[in-house]
Amino acid sequence: MDITATFRLTEADFRKAIRNSPAVRGLSVFGVLFFLLGLLTLVVDAEPRIWLVIFGPAILAFGELVVVRQAARKSAPLLAEPWTVRITEHNYALSTAVSQAEVAWSAYRQVTARSGFWYLQQANKAVSFIPQHAFDEAQLAQVSAFFADRLPPLKRPWYLPFA
């Protein structure tokens, strides 16, 4: 297999990819949990934890305003030119206007499909993403089958959802 695709990411696409990445999704889950826990203490506890009600939305706002939008702003030079991704049996290569990388599949431990992107996670927790719209239907099916065979989703214990 040797598939090459060239695509251009818009700022909205890039923000969507960052927003749905595992780290930012985990941050959002914590924000919602803190908020719900704070609401629960308002109803049940004699001494409510108001800080939880405030801290939960603050985490969500931090995730969106600082992490997502700042990443998009800092990555503007990357979005100015098209990206080229090449997927072979042995490695994954990405070329942008400012960088080039080629990584063997042995460095990746899993792939997750979410919101029109594939998220490739390395053993050291580094994540890269590939937009699915970069491929035509035949390539999309071939790459999906390759990922399903090569990098099946990890089964996580219920007590370690973000491990």
Side-chain angles (χ1 to χ4, degrees):
M1 177 177 81
D2 191 348
I3 295 177
T4 302
T6 300
F7 57 92
R8 184 174 291 232
L9 281 178
T10 65
E11 187 175 338
D13 287 338
F14 191 78
R15 281 196 315 262
K16 182 179 176 184
I18 298 298
R19 191 177 292 121
N20 286 295
S21 68
V24 175
R25 281 187 29 239
L27 187 67
S28 298
V29 168
F30 279 119
V32 170
L33 287 176
F34 280 142
F35 180 71
L36 292 175
L37 187 61
L39 288 179
L40 184 65
T41 64
L42 285 175
V43 174
V44 176
D45 203 352
E47 295 179 22
R49 309 291 193 279
I50 299 295
W51 66 272
L52 286 172
V53 176
I54 296 167
F55 194 62
I59 290 174
L60 294 173
F62 174 80
E64 178 62 29
L65 298 175
V66 176
V67 176
V68 174
R69 295 192 186 261
Q70 189 73 9
R73 195 171 314 125
K74 286 183 176 181
S75 299
L78 289 174
L79 305 178
E81 299 293 327
W83 294 19
T84 301
V85 64
R86 182 174 180 214
I87 298 172
T88 67
E89 291 287 332
H90 306 289
N91 57 36
Y92 160 70
L94 176 67
S95 176
T96 69
V98 296
S99 66
Q100 293 181 3
E102 189 170 319
V103 182
W105 289 115
S106 60
Y108 293 100
R109 70 177 198 160
Q110 83 173 65
V111 64
T112 306
R114 181 171 173 84
S115 298
F117 293 91
W118 283 300
Y119 293 92
L120 303 167
Q121 187 171 23
Q122 294 183 8
N124 66 359
K125 304 277 187 180
V127 176
S128 60
F129 62 88
I130 305 170
Q132 294 174 349
H133 67 76
F135 302 96
D136 62 30
E137 292 298 321
Q139 290 175 328
L140 189 64
Q142 191 176 5
V143 172
S144 293
F146 175 77
F147 285 156
D149 182 50
R150 185 74 156 199
L151 298 165
L154 295 176
K155 297 198 186 244
R156 299 182 191 281
W158 65 270
Y159 55 87
L160 293 173
F162 301 109

